[in-house]
Amino acid sequence: MQRIHLIFGLWWVTGILMSLTDFSHKELNYPEKLSEFGFFEGHMKDQIPAGDVVPYALNSPLFSDYAYKLRFIRLPKGLKTAYNPDSVLQFPVGTAIVKTFYYKNDERNEKKGRQLMETRVLLHEAKGWVALPYIWNKEQTEATLEVAGGTQVVAWRDQEGNKKSLEYFVPNMNQCKGCHEKSGKMTPIGPSARQLNGDFDYHSNSKENQLSHWKNLGLIENLPENTSEIPKIPAFNDPKASLDLRARGYLDINCAHCHNPSGPARSSGLFLTWANTHKSSYGFFKAPIAAGRGSGNLAFDIVPGKSHESILAYRMNSADLGIMMPELGRKLIHKEGVALINAWIQSMETH
Amino acid sequence: MKKTSLFLFLISSFAGMAQADFEKKLQTKLILAEDGSTINIEAGTYFLTKSLSLEGKKNITLRGKGIDKTVLSFKNQVQGAEGIKIANCENIILEDFTSQDSKGDLIKTMQVKGMTFRRLKAEWLGKPKASNGSYAFYPVLCEQVMIDSCIAIGASDAGIYVGQSKHIVVKNCTAFQNVAGIEIENSLYAEVFNNSAIGNTGGILVFDLPGLIQKKGGFVKVHHNIVKDNNLSNFAPKGNIVGNVPKGTGMMVLATSHVDIYENQILNHATLGVGVISYFMTGLKNKDKEYDPYPTDIQIHNNTFERKDARVPMEGRFGQMYRIKLKFGTQVPHIIFDGILDETKVGKDGKYLPEFAICVRENNGQSSAIIDAEHDFKNIISGSDALNCNPESIKSIQF
């Protein structure tokens, strides 16, 4: 009798599973495996770019739960982007931007290896940009397209040797657009001139300015001859740079992709873009609009000289889904980022 | 016995797998849905761990088997600032399901042209508390919004909140135990009727705030609603504009113009039946030069007001204002106007020109006061006809 129950139970559960339509990614007409793009040569896990693929880095990257990132770009043969000082560079149709997220097993010792989590591929098609999340297998031999995203546990040791672990989330395709959106259209976030204006270690310890390198490769035109004209965001943790530039650069890359007049957070009226010089819309004594619990019983986004009264700092220093900012892409608090913004607000004159 | 426990173990682990599988399949369907398709969700309670999102689609229907039959619970949510998020779409219908207990908002729709919420319940279970999410139904920057026969419970800001949108209908809905039952903010051409807003802090709010993308709301009709017993203590986190709403508020118009409030039952509110106030009453500074902080052309007529004689509760800024400054005692006027006028719209008699008037007439149980907030409440004018106007100036708002 009980055995019958068991069989019946299994049949019932399988029935539920089967009744939901199964989708194959082939319907999407995108490669199911990352290797099919040919971005890398040799072993996939070594992430060695193929001949037409250029690695790059940002001066001050977006915080993603302490993950490290490898970035690559491939422009269609013979085509280039044009320099502009203000916004993300406009890349021609056919461009692919590739970003691999990984954790070092031990942040104190590179030799202990790393774990690749996901690779996001941004493709510029005729109809616009599309974002594709590929999740790496345990063997680190291949990454597979997962439109609904996924979850994977990762463990590592931090710079102090503390054991850390995290249920790492890969966003689904729709959530990609939650950040990568401008006026309803998908768009890249990182590669602006001010973010690329820095050195990169290309070959055998020969550092070169990335924009100059791109110019030499024929990937960018109209670059100013006088490189001092090109804006530059300092690394958020560069002690030699000014506190104000570091903080505004940090807010630009971590917040302004949504908080700009045509981004997904435009409804808030808070614009944290590098170019915004309007104090009120940058948050100074700005009351929240629909922050709900995110207000933390505080009246304004930024109160100069009072970081503990500033909603901006409060929401960065939370990991509660109904409070934290950014609202996607992290589970952990970026302590160093919070410290930077606190120091910046504290450094301002009290009104 | 052993077999029974094995059976139970198998069933429970399969059930967990089935839930995870359901979530992934449903999200995948929403991503791959072809324009024009309908996605059905069977009856049952589903525990979701992440935001469900729909993005960049046209003519999609997401349909359950009915309120409390199909239940999407976000109690175990670990990712996403809202339960369901819909963005950059056209003609989307959500109908016949319940959603519960998200950490942030429950259903947020942004930049959707043609957004219908029909026969939905969105709620936070348990007693109303500040840790509940902010908005149950939250269309923002949308056009052609229809919220019909929906139920919103327990939002720590507004149960039904329409922000920075155009062409809106909210009808046949029920909102209770929220801070604001129904709130129309910086929105144009809204009609709010046949709803019940009962037991919230404030029943129905029509607000215009500065510093937003859609600058100006207005042209709002609020009629045939039952607005009753909205005397719940305000549990909104401070800093939010609804945190200023005093408990015991039936309706409040804040800085919005062209609002017609008629044939509502506005019953048993400890503080005010309808308040018409300028942005100055919030005590906040306005740095938006394009913003109009004055409510003008407000009509309040043919409503029924009832209230038991009692002193206003001493809670928040407004409670203090009533008790310390206004001193109405136990007979508190149903309708108050702060009396702060936009001088560019005032006639020779020192009152608003007829087309801008705050006009109160022909209400059952009518009582009103102009509280002269600009001059520290020195010259309060109260009485049944304090805001009377020429009946010919009552013109139904057309849109």
Side-chain angles (χ1 to χ4, degrees), chain B residues 108-135:
Chain B
K108 180 173 180 178
T109 71
M110 182 161 168
Q111 208 77 45
V112 180
K113 194 173 180 181
M115 182 65 232
T116 298
F117 305 81
R118 192 188 287 147
R119 295 183 301 273
L120 299 176
K121 187 186 201 182
E123 62 181 339
W124 284 272
L125 299 173
K127 285 188 178 165
K129 50 192 174 299
S131 59
N132 288 353
S134 309
Y135 305 111

Side-chain angles (χ1 to χ4, degrees), chain B residues 61-246:
Chain B
T61 299
L62 179 61
R63 179 185 293 148
K65 289 289 179 188
I67 284 177
D68 291 348
K69 294 194 173 86
T70 297
V71 179
L72 303 178
S73 170
F74 294 90
K75 193 170 79 174
N76 303 331
Q77 189 178 11
V78 288
Q79 189 215 37
E82 54 283 302
I84 299 171
K85 183 168 184 185
I86 297 176
N88 305 305
C89 291
E90 276 181 42
N91 298 325
I92 303 299
I93 300 173
L94 302 179
E95 61 186 12
D96 296 309
F97 61 86
T98 292
S99 58
Q100 293 173 341
D101 289 340
S102 61
K103 299 289 190 289
D105 306 316
L106 266 166
I107 307 178
K108 180 173 180 178
T109 71
M110 182 161 168
Q111 208 77 45
V112 180
K113 194 173 180 181
M115 182 65 232
T116 298
F117 305 81
R118 192 188 287 147
R119 295 183 301 273
L120 299 176
K121 187 186 201 182
E123 62 181 339
W124 284 272
L125 299 173
K127 285 188 178 165
K129 50 192 174 299
S131 59
N132 288 353
S134 309
Y135 305 111
F137 298 98
Y138 181 8
V140 61
L141 295 169
C142 291
E143 288 180 41
Q144 295 153 29
V145 178
M146 167 66 76
I147 306 180
D148 180 8
S149 305
C150 291
I151 304 167
I153 309 167
S156 68
D157 199 300
I160 296 171
Y161 172 95
V162 183
Q164 302 180 67
S165 296
K166 288 175 193 161
H167 302 290
I168 299 135
V169 172
V170 181
K171 64 177 184 181
N172 308 322
C173 293
T174 306
F176 57 95
Q177 293 187 340
N178 307 284
V179 173
I182 299 169
E183 182 176 353
I184 307 293
E185 193 171 281
N186 289 57
S187 288
L188 281 162
Y189 316 117
E191 189 163 6
V192 180
F193 64 101
N194 283 352
N195 303 288
S196 298
I198 299 173
N200 307 283
T201 303
I204 299 176
L205 313 180
V206 183
F207 283 10
D208 268 21
L209 302 179
L212 294 184
I213 298 246
Q214 182 160 313
K215 294 281 174 197
K216 189 73 191 146
F219 302 96
V220 178
K221 294 188 208 183
V222 183
H223 61 95
H224 295 92
N225 300 288
I226 296 173
V227 182
K228 194 176 155 192
D229 297 324
N230 292 293
N231 296 312
L232 187 66
S233 274
N234 194 322
F235 61 101
K238 281 178 222 148
N240 292 289
I241 195 77
V242 300
N244 294 315
V245 174

Side-chain angles (χ1 to χ4, degrees), chain A residues 126-337:
Chain A
K127 61 177 184 189
W129 288 91
V130 57
L132 304 168
Y134 290 83
I135 299 183
W136 283 86
N137 60 12
K138 281 214 174 69
E139 300 76 30
Q140 305 271 284
T141 54
E142 183 63 276
T144 307
L145 179 60
E146 287 286 356
V147 295
T151 307
Q152 249 175 318
V153 175
V154 60
W156 74 98
R157 276 184 191 274
D158 71 10
Q159 311 243 351
E160 281 79 47
N162 301 315
K163 277 189 181 174
K164 297 274 185 184
S165 74
L166 172 74
E167 208 178 16
Y168 181 89
F169 284 120
V170 178
N172 70 50
M173 268 178 77
N174 288 352
Q175 288 172 325
C176 294
K177 206 169 163 187
C179 296
H180 286 265
E181 183 209 312
K182 206 163 191 186
S183 301
K185 293 204 170 99
M186 188 90 189
T187 176
I189 296 170
S192 59
R194 62 182 177 276
Q195 281 281 10
L196 294 167
N197 186 11
D199 287 348
F200 190 89
D201 198 355
Y202 288 99
H203 295 289
S204 56
N205 294 323
S206 65
K207 282 193 178 177
E208 190 184 355
N209 180 282
Q210 295 188 106
L211 291 169
S212 311
H213 185 75
W214 286 26
K215 189 182 172 188
N216 295 340
L217 292 174
L219 298 180
I220 191 166
E221 60 188 3
N222 304 340
L223 197 67
E225 288 299 325
N226 182 357
T227 49
S228 65
E229 285 174 26
I230 305 172
K232 182 174 183 175
I233 283 184
F236 80 95
N237 55 0
D238 176 359
K240 285 174 285 183
S242 88
L243 184 58
D244 188 57
L245 290 182
R246 284 192 287 143
R248 293 178 73 102
Y250 184 87
L251 296 174
D252 183 54
I253 193 66
N254 282 280
C255 317
H257 48 80
C258 288
H259 281 282
N260 73 72
S262 49
R266 59 191 173 280
S267 57
S268 69
L270 176 68
F271 306 135
L272 295 166
T273 52
W274 183 249
N276 185 11
T277 54
H278 185 257
K279 285 249 170 188
S280 178
S281 68
Y282 202 86
F284 289 87
F285 294 109
K286 181 191 175 299
I289 296 302
R293 286 200 295 133
S295 78
N297 289 330
L298 304 172
F300 302 113
D301 292 346
I302 298 173
V303 181
K306 294 175 181 172
S307 60
H308 57 283
E309 290 180 22
S310 301
I311 295 172
L312 190 76
Y314 172 76
R315 299 190 79 165
M316 282 176 62
N317 196 26
S318 172
D320 180 320
L321 294 180
I323 296 170
M324 68 178 198
M325 283 286 158
E327 57 184 33
L328 272 180
R330 75 170 176 92
K331 286 180 87 178
L332 304 176
I333 294 167
H334 188 204
K335 288 187 179 141
E336 297 77 8

